[in-house]
Amino acid sequence: MRFYNVSIFASLLYNTIFSFLLFVNVNSFDSFIQFPTLEDSRGKSVSLLYVNEFGAKGDGITDDTKIFQYVWKRACASFLRPKIIVPIGYSFLVQPIDFVGPCRSKISLIIEGSIVAPKDPKVWDKLDAHKWLYFVKVRHLTVQGGGTINGMGQKWWATSCKINTTNPCRHAPTAMSFHKCNNLKVRDIRMLNSQQMHISISNCINVEVSRMIVEAPAKSPNTDGIHITSSIRVAIKDCTIRTGDDCISIVNNSSSILVKNIACGPGHGISIGSLGKSNSWSQVHNVCVDGAYFSNTENGVRIKTWQGGRGYVRRISFMNVWMENVSNPIIIDQYYCDSPFPCPNQTSGIHIHSVSFIGIRGTSATKNAIKFACSDSSPCKKLFLKDVQLVSYSGLPTASFCWKAYGSTSGLNNPPSCFNFVEQTTKNLSNWSDQFI
Ligand SMILES: *[C@@H]1O[C@H](CO)[C@@H](O)[C@H](O)[C@H]1NC(C)=O
Ligand SMILES: *[C@@H]1O[C@H](CO)[C@@H](O)[C@H](O)[C@H]1NC(C)=O
Ligand SMILES: *[C@@H]1O[C@H](CO)[C@@H](O)[C@H](O)[C@H]1NC(C)=O
Ligand SMILES: *[C@@H]1O[C@H](CO)[C@@H](O)[C@H](O)[C@H]1NC(C)=O
Ligand SMILES: *[C@@H]1O[C@H](CO)[C@@H](O)[C@H](O)[C@H]1NC(C)=O
Ligand SMILES: *[C@@H]1O[C@H](CO)[C@@H](O)[C@H](O)[C@H]1NC(C)=O
Ligand SMILES: *[C@@H]1O[C@H](CO)[C@@H](O)[C@H](O)[C@H]1NC(C)=O
């Protein structure tokens, strides 16, 4: 009976996700694209800047970087709420480029066609290897349009030290980075094969990323979908992310993060962390993941911290999640060690508390569907499990693993929880999503 309910839930979620995919694929975007006008719907003047009208070739061979740079500068200097249009039917080859703000008015970058990166990593030899399309200090920017951004990452992956351990480890560019931004909206873009991370949001406030499709092969190294650091009030909604690393990662100094309706897989799941590398101080708080579908991912919902870190992770809720053949559906790993050398045991750790898992259902690829490997020096506290139903993909029973994990439960949970210390709940700490507003 339980399992029957779960299947209905899954098919509902699945249908929602895939009808949304269809919607994205048919390109039903803003009508002003078809009807260029010098006034927008509120009667304000707008200027339409088609990159090809300024000389961009868009043949996938000619380097259009200078034209993009020129058009951006022009748009940025305009008071007329400019819309930069990257038209459909063209493929613009763009080298590493900085889009620098602040600008005089709100800008829309409408990508209907495609933007492609140079294939050859040598292009970056004398440039900053962290960046390709880099937006800095931009306020009130909207990026949308139904087009594609292709990082052409194949050569970068082939020379990664994670693929061939004889290679030196080095950074590869993030396809699209937003640094020090506020009031950013990114939606309806397909991002493919980034060299490393697909989207990075750092030191930003008020961001909404929605209806994105992010894709890279399962074996591509470090190709996180969306990476959030030092940012406040970020919402990620209705995205499909299939990559070789975390679908979404939320790291240091981030809070009020809402992640809603995400299909993830292949990939490493939705992660808070890693945090605390090299004994650093870090904090992440008020994160709500509500509605996610993971298929064949290495992890589902995860918190990962290095030993020896300081700081805290608190008020996190993961809810309404469906897992399908996920290796670690629920995992807190305070012994994270992404290094070629073993990490020695240390005496400090990041404090993890007030983390709830509500309505997490589906199948686990491994026996331990729940793993709480908390720090020896600072146990995880106020963990909360409610209506967690995880069966094994192969049909065998599942189990929980707890080390220094303190918490409480409610509802029906399978596998049963294994808290090392069962806390009395005095307050209702189960749901942190209201903290987002
Ligand atoms: C790994 O890289 C080294 C040096 O770049 C190269 O000689 C070797 O053939 C590579 N191995 C594989 C399996 O690609
Ligand atoms: C933390 O994030 C806030 C918000 O983006 C930013 O203003 C601040 O500079 C960040 N602090 C550090 C040390 O990165
Ligand atoms: C994390 O952010 C805090 C500010 O909240 C800052 O003091 C600290 O240095 C940052 N740690 C790392 C590892 O960046
Ligand atoms: C289930 O996950 C395991 C471990 O990742 C994998 O080896 C296996 O192929 C997956 N099964 C299916 C049917 O995808
Ligand atoms: C580190 O600590 C863990 C947990 O207490 C223990 O299982 C492991 O053996 C320790 N490793 C070393 C190298 O001491
Ligand atoms: C606590 O919150 C959960 C989830 O929002 C809700 O279902 C439950 O009724 C609440 N319990 C109390 C005692 O308020
Ligand atoms: C959590 O709280 C929010 C806002 O109060 C509510 O909309 C949502 O349904 C709650 N979710 C759960 C799983 O209780």
Side-chain angles (χ1 to χ4, degrees), residues 296 325 327 365 393:
N296 290 296
N325 195 34
S327 299
Y393 193 70

Side-chain angles (χ1 to χ4, degrees), residues 325-397:
N325 195 34
V326 172
S327 299
N328 302 297
I330 292 180
I331 176 165
I332 295 179
D333 178 8
Q334 296 214 264
Y335 298 87
Y336 184 70
C337 178
D338 183 16
S339 143
F341 312 104
C343 300
N345 279 346
Q346 300 204 26
T347 52
S348 72
I350 292 196
H351 295 270
I352 295 181
H353 63 96
S354 303
V355 181
S356 44
F357 302 89
I358 305 171
I360 316 272
R361 299 180 170 97
T363 55
S364 173
T366 62
K367 182 164 187 276
N368 284 331
I370 300 179
K371 282 182 201 151
F372 294 134
C374 298
S375 164
D376 287 295
S377 54
S378 64
C380 301
K381 293 185 179 160
K382 295 199 169 104
L383 303 181
F384 179 75
L385 292 168
K386 181 180 175 193
D387 301 331
V388 171
Q389 290 290 330
L390 294 164
V391 298
S392 132
Y393 193 70
S394 59
L396 297 168

